Amino acid sequence: MAHRSGNDGSPSPLIRATPGAYPSTPGESDAPTIVSTQLSLSQAVYQRRSEFTRSYTTKVKVGTWNVASLSGTDKDIGGWFVDGKGLSDNLNGLAIDMKDDRRRRSGTNSSVESIASQERRRSKKKSTIPEDDEAYVPGGEDIGLYVLGLQEIVDISSATEALRPYTDPHPGKKWKKAVERALPKGYQLVAEQQLVGLYLVIYASPALVPQISSVSTTSVGTGLMGYMGNKGAVTARIVLGETTRMVFINSHLTAGVEKGNLERRNWDAAQIVNKTKFDPVYDGSGVMEEFGEGLGDENFAFWFGDLNYRLESMPGDDVRRLLMLHTRNEYGKNQAASGDKIEEELAAQRSPVSIKDGRFIDPTTENGLNSPSPALNSSADTSPSPSWLSNNGHFEPATDPASLQTTLSSLLPHDQLHAQMRERKAFHDGWQEGPIDFLPTYKYDVGSVGMFDSSEKKRGPSWCDRILYRSRRHKKDYEAKVREEQEAERADAEMKARGIDKEAEAEAVLFDYDPDIDADNEYQEEEASTIDPEIVETKAGFEDKMHLDYYTSHQRVLSSDHKPLDAVFTLDYDAVDPQLKARIHQEVARELDKAENEGRPVVTVVIDHHHDHDENLPDDVDCATFEGVNFGHVKYNHPKTRNITVANTGRVPATVGFVDRSIDQGQPIGVAPSWLSIKFDRRSDSQEPNNPVMQQYTLEPGDAANVELTVHVHDVSSVRRFNEGLERIEDVLVLRIHNGRDYFLPMRGIWLQSSFGRSIDRLIRIPEGGIRRLQHQRPDGNGHGDEGVKWSAPREILRLTETIEELMERTIAEWGMRGEGVKPPWDDLGWPFSVRTGDAKQRETLKERIREGLDCQVEPHEILPLETTALQRLEAVAETLVDFLSSLEDGVITEQLWTKIEKTMVDHEKSKTLLSGEDERMQILEILSASSPHSVSFTLITFMLSRVAGEIQPIEPPSDRVGLSSDSNSRSSKDSGRLQHSGKDQDMARRIEVEGAYATIFAQAMIRAPVITKDKERKASEGRRKHAIETFLRSKWDEDT
């Protein structure tokens, strides 16, 4: 690679390894996933691109070969592909003759091994390249980029290979080793991709490697069933110098000479175009395109391989004989086996073996190959020289009627690929091909230079192997031409619709010329051979040039039935110097920052730290150094607030607001986590505080806003995550300043373990001292068996039930001593568990103390203020019990236990069996006995409820009892809390109502049941749960009544 101007570019990021595999999925695990939003910065840097780019020139060599899965072919790869050897002096046409004057053209070079000797010594263990051969085509270190496409490196005719669900990598490794042995020292692998028998490999010179990035490879199968890999393409995309995108497509299309095979080849090509997708391009500076590319988005593309397009409308055997009239002369007197075969076949039958004006003629009678040239037979002839003679009387190969070039020019109009391109059925959208000055590359006898297929099939020769190329400019020119044609057709249709065509009919004859119909279909060799470099504007806005230098086959490679083919291109391109670009990037960024700072809003965020040291745990050693919002200890259902001040310290109004923060996988999105609320001290600009869109607040210069941040963990599911350590009181809020910078506000707190939200199996393993003793630990045992068990039932349930029983007696007694003629609270069904009196805020404060006592194993009477009444305490403790039972992870009666209990109840309902209360209780207790902690907990709770109900509404004989009445006016001043009841039936009815209310409340809190969607079944299940609780509440009196 030659450096044309400037200093040598410094290395850019290393090439990302993308080894091929089938099936290939675009994507790399280490590829960046960010997308730049700094458009202004990127545009400003781009405008100064001339300051950080340098111009370079390199050569790209593209080679293709169908190796027919034959052994020994790998021995030839270095000779023809890397060294440029294996061409024939007389059979490789004008492309070599006119471009390489290093070798004489007056016959075969005597120093090069003869064809006869070459064919006789052919071996699978050695290269078949002629000995002492010279290099025609550039190679070695003159090439910057080697691109090799191979077909049939495995036997794709084998059903085992064609239907294999994966690609065997071993053949590819063999070929890679062969190429690396032949390449000059220092060349490195850039890309590799294999699809069954298709193999693509790209190597770059040491100088070119640092400039290559964004390598992406992929495969498309179009074979059996339309997607198997016995046919299809392997493709690679590279970016050269961060400016030039290049795509290389190695394909093997459907074989066959029938019309259906031709249509399938076109279909294969269309599928490859539609299905090929690459990874997004990474420009090396932290910016990646949002979407991947397909074919057509590149700056230069090369499509090569065994495309399998044939010669049509010509007898294949006649083409064979015609071409062998040229190859016969290569063998000389010492005929090899192939030479003998050619002579025998040509002598066997005299058939038309030349072409003139589209028909076959015998060259021996009409200035054929065996007819002496007039210029050579009569030196005295003074008549004007024919057009095919030069001034010195020698043949001009391009115009000599008996030359190989004339024969090739006569065959090329019958080439299917050129016909499909003209008819816009395939490879028509800008694809180009160099002039074909070489023999058809297929099909030869293996081991022969010029013997076309001598097998029984005698397949007709064809240019199956091709190398096409296209620039971004070629594609855009084609698209512009299509648009012009469509516009012309539209205008013509409009004219015809207005009737203009009749008046202009005569005049139109003069201009009605259709090049597709009226032009001569003869292959325009002169036009195709005029290939000048043209300026191509790349996708990145740079100007490149590419020129085709060589396009030829290697006729003297004998190890396959295909002849290898290669093309050499000279590429002029601009490459980014990473160091210069980084310097320009920094300069532009500083300039933009300076301009933005002068007019953008600026705010100052002040955090109130005066609460940070409240009740800190000993392990909170970094409290003094934490610069964010510190909530300190965070407890279940205990709100805690911290304040921040946002002040506008700039010279322009500032619009501020919190935006969605960055989250880890699985976390809910939003401005803040679910346990945090944000409140400004003013209305938002939108005047809609409940609007889910970001709330914005505008601050004038010098203005300040106070923001309250409140952490409140009240959701049981959150409590469980905090208890288990699955979530922490840590997050980062993002305060966005419109047209300004973002402020990241870290916050944290220390979660204090809670007995709420746990399972009974965990609670019975908590040691003496409460759950707080296990801060940052877990209860002993794994929740199964008796390991680590400390209690028969959770201590929390025992304390709460005992306290409720005690406070109920004291409340009734205190109420009786008040002597007030007001309605007692127990007249409301469900009290004290669902109906409360007094101040709700005060009750929340008491409940918080009770929860603290449960977590630290402190009795409620020790932690509650002395000035509170028994009624206030009772209601707080009762509500805490219901909350605690509802928060249990598996309930008092687990879903599994309840399923068994409900099944027995349903069975009795179906059989219409009436059980006594005692029998029902025994059945339920028997099922609960499977889990002793749950059974004991259930007994404690139902016993407490039965006692509370008995205190509220006792059932006793009239002569022995005193009870509580709902008629407050009948109380005496002597004992206003006691009264005589009017009858046992009335007492029983009231008792049933009380117990029913309790059963409804506690069935929902204690029992975990499966979710039922049908309304009727759900209500029936709810009734059974209530009945199960009621059965135990009546155990004290139902048998006696």
Side-chain angles (χ1 to χ4, degrees), residues 373-643:
S373 169
L376 299 178
N377 286 345
S378 177
S379 59
D381 191 353
T382 59
S383 59
S385 299
S387 61
W388 36 268
L389 290 180
S390 64
N391 292 333
N392 59 10
H394 294 291
F395 290 108
E396 289 289 346
T399 57
D400 181 2
S403 71
L404 173 63
Q405 299 307 314
T406 302
T407 301
L408 299 182
S409 298
S410 301
L411 294 175
L412 283 169
H414 299 271
D415 175 57
Q416 286 182 340
L417 177 57
H418 288 159
Q420 298 305 297
M421 294 170 75
R422 288 193 299 270
E423 297 172 12
R424 297 184 178 178
K425 293 183 178 180
F427 300 101
H428 53 278
D429 49 347
W431 289 101
Q432 309 289 315
E433 185 178 25
I436 296 179
D437 294 314
F438 47 85
L439 287 172
T441 56
Y442 176 82
K443 174 182 181 171
Y444 295 84
D445 286 354
V446 177
S448 167
V449 171
M451 182 64 203
F452 290 93
D453 184 19
S454 64
S455 68
E456 184 178 348
K457 292 184 179 180
K458 287 185 169 54
R459 297 176 179 86
S462 296
W463 284 281
C464 291
D465 308 281
R466 311 293 272 268
I467 299 177
L468 309 179
Y469 62 96
R470 181 179 69 183
S471 69
R472 183 179 178 84
R473 178 174 173 179
H474 290 143
K475 187 172 186 297
K476 287 187 174 295
D477 288 346
Y478 168 78
E479 293 170 348
K481 180 180 178 182
V482 171
R483 287 193 296 270
E484 292 175 1
E485 293 174 353
Q486 292 174 346
E487 182 63 24
E489 291 177 359
R490 186 189 63 80
D492 185 56
E494 291 178 355
M495 293 176 63
K496 289 182 178 181
R498 297 197 301 267
I500 300 178
D501 58 319
K502 295 181 179 179
E503 290 78 357
E505 183 175 351
E507 184 180 356
V509 174
L510 299 176
F511 304 99
D512 187 13
Y513 174 77
D514 187 341
D516 292 335
I517 300 175
D518 302 320
D520 187 0
N521 285 332
E522 181 178 357
Y523 181 70
Q524 301 297 323
E525 183 68 41
E526 293 78 15
E527 180 180 354
S529 62
T530 305
I531 305 175
D532 295 324
E534 58 184 12
I535 295 176
V536 177
E537 183 178 352
T538 69
K539 194 171 183 179
F542 298 89
E543 293 183 349
D544 294 349
K545 294 181 181 180
M546 188 176 71
H547 178 261
L548 174 62
D549 300 332
Y550 292 86
Y551 183 39
T552 188
S553 66
H554 294 257
Q555 196 68 27
R556 296 193 66 176
V557 176
L558 312 181
S559 52
S560 175
D561 57 358
H562 288 250
K563 298 301 180 183
L565 182 69
D566 60 11
V568 178
F569 300 85
T570 297
L571 176 65
D572 299 335
Y573 67 99
D574 291 327
V576 170
D577 185 315
Q579 291 183 346
L580 291 177
K581 184 178 181 181
R583 190 186 71 190
I584 299 299
H585 189 279
Q586 292 177 355
E587 292 178 2
V588 172
R590 283 196 298 266
E591 293 172 0
L592 291 178
D593 285 345
K594 181 179 179 181
E596 291 174 0
N597 288 335
E598 292 177 353
R600 71 179 184 180
V602 179
V603 303
T604 300
V605 179
V606 180
I607 302 173
D608 183 5
H609 290 285
H610 78 278
H611 290 297
D612 287 1
H613 298 276
D614 293 352
E615 302 174 356
N616 285 316
L617 284 176
D619 57 0
D620 189 17
V621 294
D622 60 343
C623 174
T625 61
F626 183 65
E627 297 181 354
V629 180
N630 190 354
F631 287 99
H633 292 168
V634 178
K635 307 173 185 177
Y636 165 55
N637 209 11
H638 175 60
K640 213 165 190 182
T641 299
R642 293 291 185 264
N643 294 284

Side-chain angles (χ1 to χ4, degrees), residues 1 3 6-14 52-54 56 206-212 241-242 575-583:
M1 179 179 68
H3 184 192
N7 299 326
D8 194 17
S10 59
S12 59
L14 295 177
F52 58 81
T53 57
R54 295 292 180 264
Y56 293 87
L208 207 63
V209 166
Q211 297 183 0
I212 296 177
E242 297 186 21
V576 170
D577 185 315
Q579 291 183 346
L580 291 177
K581 184 178 181 181
R583 190 186 71 190

